[in-house]
Amino acid sequence: MCALVVAEAGNGICYAKTGQNVWELFQSTMYKDSRNEEVNMIAEIWRPLGQFDLEPTGETKSCYADGSSVLEGCREIRITGAGMQMSLDRNLHLELVMEGKDADEANLTPFSFLDIEMKDGTVCHMLGKLPEGDEIIWVKDTGKCVGYSHQGEAVTGDAYLGAVIRGGGFDPYGTSAWEEIFAVAFDRFINVEEIAGVYLDGEKLPLK
């Protein structure tokens, strides 16, 4: 089993096997040309984090939600105490290209909000594609996203879990031979045993 470690100082995530000492964290930094805002160099930096040990704690508890009734091609939504991962059996980039649209400039995330309702009634929010008219809330000193404003209401602090990162790759077992992955590393840990409901753009999903 592996543990997920998030380090604020390094602006990144490292994975380590339980019981293993973690010494360093990998960080990629992009440098932009001030004249045209184009990325012209990516620096790869290793920064020391110090030493600490990870001990086995048993199997990571997970909550699974079925998003297929709301989002076409959605295989599975897995939520742990530290993050969320959604799998789609689709190639969203290719779909836009086939429609004659500019896929390189588009935000391909096919949903805006993924919300978790806890048994005590509190709701935790994850951000997908920000709807038009809404705004990201940034920390000016660090440039870190700490939430968003939706229809004039700020979602930040403990109500905000994080924003989606998209990835994809060839999947020989999928019907489209491609798998889209949408993942969030939570800003704080949650107790998955206290999850009462999962909502995708306001639609409640069946829990598995």
Side-chain angles (χ1 to χ4, degrees), residues 12-46:
I13 298 172
C14 64
Y15 294 88
K17 294 180 180 179
T18 52
Q20 178 182 354
N21 291 335
V22 180
W23 291 87
E24 296 173 314
L25 178 69
F26 176 77
Q27 175 186 358
S28 292
T29 304
M30 295 185 298
Y31 294 87
K32 293 185 177 181
D33 188 319
S34 60
R35 294 166 297 179
N36 55 23
E37 288 297 308
E38 291 182 356
V39 176
N40 54 27
M41 181 171 61
I42 297 179
E44 298 178 348
I45 305 169
W46 286 89

Side-chain angles (χ1 to χ4, degrees), residues 165-178:
I165 299 174
R166 173 181 168 268
F170 181 71
D171 177 19
Y173 302 104
T175 58
S176 68
W178 183 269

Side-chain angles (χ1 to χ4, degrees), residues 38-59:
E38 291 182 356
V39 176
N40 54 27
M41 181 171 61
I42 297 179
E44 298 178 348
I45 305 169
W46 286 89
R47 291 186 175 181
L49 290 181
Q51 180 181 353
F52 58 95
D53 294 327
L54 299 175
E55 297 181 0
T57 58
E59 183 178 352

Side-chain angles (χ1 to χ4, degrees), residues 183-195:
V184 178
F186 293 163
D187 284 358
R188 63 182 180 87
F189 282 90
I190 66 170
N191 183 356
V192 296
E193 294 181 315
E194 292 299 313
I195 292 177

Side-chain angles (χ1 to χ4, degrees), residues 6 16 78 93 95 191:
V6 180
R78 181 190 181 212
H93 186 278
E95 287 179 14
N191 183 356

Side-chain angles (χ1 to χ4, degrees), residues 115-125 159 194-197 199:
D115 305 320
I116 299 175
E117 181 184 16
M118 310 302 288
K119 292 179 181 178
D120 65 1
T122 61
V123 180
C124 308
H125 306 274
E194 292 299 313
I195 292 177
Y199 297 79

